[in-house]
Amino acid sequence: MSAGFDWVPDPGRGEWLRLMEAEPLGSVLSVVPSGFEAYARLFHPVERDRPRATKTWQGLDQAMYFADVPDLEAALETERATWAQAAASFGTTMHAQAQYARLVRADYGAVDGTIAPDGWRYSDTTEGRLDTASLAAAAAVLARHTSTPDTGIAAIWEGWGGLVSSAGAARLVLLPSDAWPAPDTDEDTRRVTIPLLRDRLAAALRQRLTGAHVSLTARFRGAHHDPAPGTGVLAAEIAAGPRFALHGNSGRSYFLFEAGAHDFADPTWPARAPWVEEPLWAHSPSILWPEDHAWVLATEIDFDSTLVAGTTALIRELIRTPGLEVLPLRTDADLTWDGDAINRPQ
């Protein structure tokens, strides 16, 4: 493995990606560079749930259903789902240029909690971050398609809250089950309202937080009225150091760290990464490449999928890898919000 995610103060290590700036921002070749044999899109998994007793949310008043349920965790059947499963639930078509909102027949910004005709309730996707399990599965494949699986660069977007300073940082605290807040009752209607965090229960279950829930209380890191570099997760030297900037003034600047594919194939990598404070919500690299430049994996900060450029053999293996949802992608694919013409409303 690499030398412990050492900080790279030389932005020149990323100069070979500069040709992406010639492409329209948001296009495939502005996220991963041109010149590779093949390209693919790795779709970020979502969560879905339904009541164990009824097997469907259809026809249920969600608040009243839980009014007399003492154990919300036991009452919900929760699982990780693919975009293809979401498409099957909603009767839409999964394809390489699919947009999640179109798949679940929802308006943009109103996706979370959408209930399908088959009874499943689907969560929203995760933008700008590939979950640890998916990254580990992909990295194991990537390591087999480079001559330098132990060396390379992980580029971390500078804009994550709390990374450079304490500004915008909040900490969610784990509480025992018996400390979980009880449902609220409206004094006028006597209707029971389940805490909003119920909708996030799926994420907690995925991480196997047995017997615990995430507290609604946010504790801000520090008490800085004018946060300065070095008051966040990164050491002051790194926070104030040079960054690799792409696409002009688009806000896409990155801290660079030494890292190889083998580092991320180990799912415990968040515990060693200097840009991670809480492993449960670790940010994956925005851009990852090996020293020999055999491939590039990139998660654009505004995308809910990750793009990969590499050899045809690499892309074929990723597509066949269990636990990943990957489709081959054309370099001229339209990944904008309206790019999903197949599922476009009439």
Side-chain angles (χ1 to χ4, degrees):
M1 292 186 181
S2 64
F5 293 115
D6 290 341
W7 173 51
V8 177
D10 176 17
R13 295 281 291 277
E15 283 299 312
W16 76 286
L17 298 175
R18 193 66 66 192
L19 74 162
M20 295 193 299
E21 294 180 327
E23 304 294 335
L25 188 61
S27 65
V28 172
L29 295 181
S30 73
V31 178
V32 287
S34 60
F36 286 89
E37 287 182 355
Y39 295 79
R41 188 177 178 201
L42 194 170
F43 299 87
H44 298 179
V46 295
E47 300 290 337
R48 67 180 185 179
D49 66 31
R50 63 186 181 184
R52 291 188 184 278
T54 64
K55 299 298 183 181
T56 181
W57 282 107
Q58 292 290 342
L60 292 182
D61 182 314
Q62 297 182 33
M64 294 305 295
Y65 175 80
F66 282 107
D68 298 317
V69 176
D71 189 343
L72 299 182
E73 185 174 326
L76 283 177
E77 178 183 350
T78 307
E79 64 183 32
R80 172 167 154 151
T82 64
W83 290 28
Q85 287 175 309
S89 288
F90 285 89
T92 51
T93 302
M94 180 58 182
H95 61 106
Q97 294 181 201
Q99 291 297 319
Y100 187 69
R102 292 269 168 87
L103 290 182
V104 299
R105 301 185 186 275
D107 293 331
Y108 286 89
V111 171
D112 199 25
T114 305
I115 298 174
D118 65 1
W120 285 103
R121 179 175 62 178
Y122 283 83
S123 73
D124 201 351
T125 54
T126 302
E127 292 185 354
R129 172 185 174 274
L130 180 60
D131 68 285
T132 301
S134 295
L135 179 56
V141 176
L142 293 168
R144 293 193 285 271
H145 293 268
T146 171
S147 62
T148 58
D150 296 313
T151 56
I153 292 290
I156 309 301
W157 183 51
E158 68 170 358
W160 296 123
L163 191 64
V164 173
S165 75
S166 59
R171 179 178 300 155
L172 295 176
V173 183
L174 294 179
L175 293 177
S177 296
D178 56 8
W180 175 246
D184 296 324
T185 303
D186 187 282
E187 294 298 329
D188 296 324
T189 65
R190 307 305 300 173
R191 288 173 61 85
V192 178
T193 302
I194 301 302
L196 292 178
L197 195 59
R198 179 198 63 221
D199 297 335
R200 305 301 179 194
L201 182 60
L205 289 174
R206 185 176 72 249
Q207 298 295 337
R208 299 180 181 178
L209 296 178
T210 304
H213 291 288
V214 181
S215 168
L216 294 174
T217 303
R219 296 182 180 177
F220 287 90
R221 188 188 301 107
H224 303 280
H225 298 291
D226 185 19
T231 60
V233 176
L234 294 178
E237 178 188 19
I238 301 175
R243 301 160 202 189
F244 173 58
L246 270 174
H247 298 294
N249 297 319
S250 66
R252 285 158 178 80
S253 293
Y254 309 92
F255 293 103
L256 304 185
F257 295 90
E258 295 282 359
H262 277 155
D263 287 299
F264 296 101
D266 177 1
T268 66
W269 68 263
R272 299 184 293 113
W275 63 88
V276 175
E277 180 179 43
E278 172 50 63
L280 188 59
W281 293 286
H283 292 296
S284 61
S286 299
I287 314 174
L288 177 67
W289 68 86
E291 195 66 31
D292 65 1
H293 300 177
W295 44 257
V296 176
L297 177 144
T299 307
E300 155 63 28
I301 58 176
D302 291 327
F303 282 9
D304 52 11
S305 57
T306 292
L307 304 187
V308 183
T311 63
T312 300
L314 165 62
I315 300 306
R316 286 175 177 169
E317 186 173 353
L318 283 173
I319 292 171
R320 297 193 304 267
T321 300
L324 296 180
E325 185 176 27
V326 180
L327 290 174
L329 189 68
R330 303 193 322 268
T331 56
D332 64 348
D334 183 356
L335 299 183
T336 64
W337 70 272
D338 197 37
D340 185 353
I342 293 177
N343 297 300
R344 185 177 295 154
Q346 298 298 319

